[in-house]
Each structure stands twice: as structure tokens, then as C-alpha cells.
Amino acid sequence: MRKGITPCQRYLAMTNKPVTDAHAAAIARVILAFSACELMLRLVAYCLTANAHMEDDDADRTAAIVFEGMATRTLTGIIKALVQIRFPDDVKGIDRMNDRILKAKSMRDLLAHSNFIKGKAPGTIAPHAMKSVGGLKQAVGELSVDSLVKWQDEISHLSALLIGFLARWGYATIPDDASPDLSILRPLKTIVGEHDALFFSGAGTAPQVGD
């Protein structure tokens, strides 16, 4: 057996040392925000499928049961197909929102399934993760606490937009002054700084880990 630091010690150090309490809290908030967004996706899919209002009795529980375990990519595909049938004028907006949701899902998965090493820039951490589907690729990039907060804000905004679409289609009732502006489908690059974005080398987009 080799002397010095063992692989076990090295991985424990990789997992624990670089991640501050602030990083850990920010990572948790991103994951929790996406859990809420997934619940909204199920509710949107249910309302479109059953032509139901989101405030109907047991709508949320029925949506959770019917669409439980369904991949995010599948849910967004179902929503797009139903919108094409019922609300064709909103297809482009749904397309853009779905793209952002899938990017957020990739980030959520990367945060949930990675170990982390210290980033080169002060106050940053870098994921240690590999992807073997479609060729071996390694995650590259660094994350600051501020960039994680921006991801949380982006995901929360997407959840609000989902409610906004339901309201537009007559499946939700919310005060006018609380309705999200559905024209604000901001490009992701305006939310997450270029130097904070993570991607898999060679892939050109955010990783699709776990989907």
C-alpha cells in the first residue's frame, strides 16, 4: 500500500475543505429552488392535460402522483406538445423557458452529484465530476457564492414564469401586480456570468448529468 495520503483521505479533503458554509448553504438553496420548480412543472403538465385549474382540490397532489419520477426533459416535452395544441402563440416562449429549465437542471445535478476542489479564483470552488455518455468529458469551471445565488434567483424566476403561463391560460388566478412579465425571458448569459458558468469540455453547453 502506498505511503502518504490515501485516495480515501484525498477525496475526503476534496469534499470537505474547499466548501465553506456559505458555499454549502448556496448549493442547498439551488437544489431546493429546483425542487420547487419541478413541482411547478408537474402542475403545469397536469393542468394542461386535465384542463384543470391549479387551485382545484387535490390538483397539486394529483399532479405529483401522475408525474412522479418523470424526467425533467420528458416533462418539458409534454408541456411543449400540449401548448402546441392549445396555445400555439406561446410555443416560442415555452421553448425558451424550457431551454433555461434544462440548463438549470444540469446545474442542479452537477451541484448535487459532484465533489469539489478549490477554485483558482479566490472564494470559488470547482466541481470534480466526469461524464461518460457520448465520450469521456470532465466538468470544468468555477463557482462563487454570488454565482450560486444567481442560479437560485434564475430558478425561482422560472417557477414564477410557470405560474404566469398558467394564469395566462386561465389555469391560475394571481393578482395583476404579482404577475411575472412573460416577456422577460432573459438569456441565461445575462443571469450567470461567463466566468461562473459550468460546462463539460467539448460539449459546448451545460452538462446533462442525471437526466
Side-chain angles (χ1 to χ4, degrees):
M1 188 170 179
R2 293 183 299 174
K3 294 182 179 180
I5 298 176
T6 67
C8 181
Q9 290 172 321
R10 184 170 68 250
Y11 276 93
L12 284 174
M14 180 186 300
T15 303
N16 297 325
K17 284 187 176 180
V19 181
T20 65
D21 288 347
H23 282 112
I27 289 170
R29 285 193 294 268
V30 171
I31 292 171
L32 289 170
F34 196 82
S35 293
C37 188
E38 278 193 315
L39 288 174
M40 279 307 309
L41 279 173
R42 294 186 193 121
L43 192 55
V44 170
Y46 169 73
C47 289
L48 285 166
T49 302
N51 200 26
H53 198 280
M54 69 174 291
E55 295 172 13
D56 289 351
D57 290 343
D58 295 328
D60 53 348
R61 286 184 287 183
T62 303
I65 292 170
V66 172
F67 296 102
E68 178 63 32
M70 189 170 290
T72 303
R73 188 174 294 278
T74 304
L75 276 172
T76 55
I78 289 172
I79 290 169
K80 178 182 176 179
L82 291 169
V83 170
Q84 284 177 320
I85 295 170
R86 296 189 178 181
F87 308 102
D89 290 343
D90 284 329
V91 170
K92 288 185 178 179
I94 287 293
D95 262 342
R96 294 171 65 189
M97 187 177 66
N98 282 350
D99 286 344
R100 285 167 59 184
I101 289 173
L102 292 174
K103 286 183 173 71
K105 173 64 162 61
S106 295
M107 177 57 71
R108 177 265 172 215
D109 288 344
L110 192 66
L111 294 174
H113 300 295
S114 292
N115 289 317
F116 294 90
I117 59 175
K118 186 177 181 180
K120 294 180 181 179
T124 64
I125 54 176
H128 181 79
M130 302 291 288
K131 179 183 178 184
S132 59
V133 177
L136 187 63
K137 297 168 184 176
Q138 182 170 353
V140 296
E142 299 177 346
L143 284 170
S144 64
V145 172
D146 286 345
S147 68
L148 289 166
V149 170
K150 289 176 182 177
W151 274 104
Q152 179 196 357
D153 290 344
E154 163 73 353
I155 295 168
S156 296
H157 182 72
L158 290 170
S159 294
L161 285 176
L162 286 168
I163 296 175
F165 274 114
L166 285 179
R168 171 183 284 189
W169 301 329
Y171 298 138
T173 304
I174 52 179
D176 290 339
D177 58 358
S179 300
D181 181 356
L182 300 185
S183 68
I184 309 177
L185 288 170
R186 305 175 304 241
L188 189 65
K189 66 182 180 181
T190 68
I191 305 302
V192 181
E194 177 184 356
H195 300 294
D196 291 323
L198 270 78
F199 55 94
F200 271 88
S201 56
T205 58
Q208 301 293 332
V209 181
D211 213 4

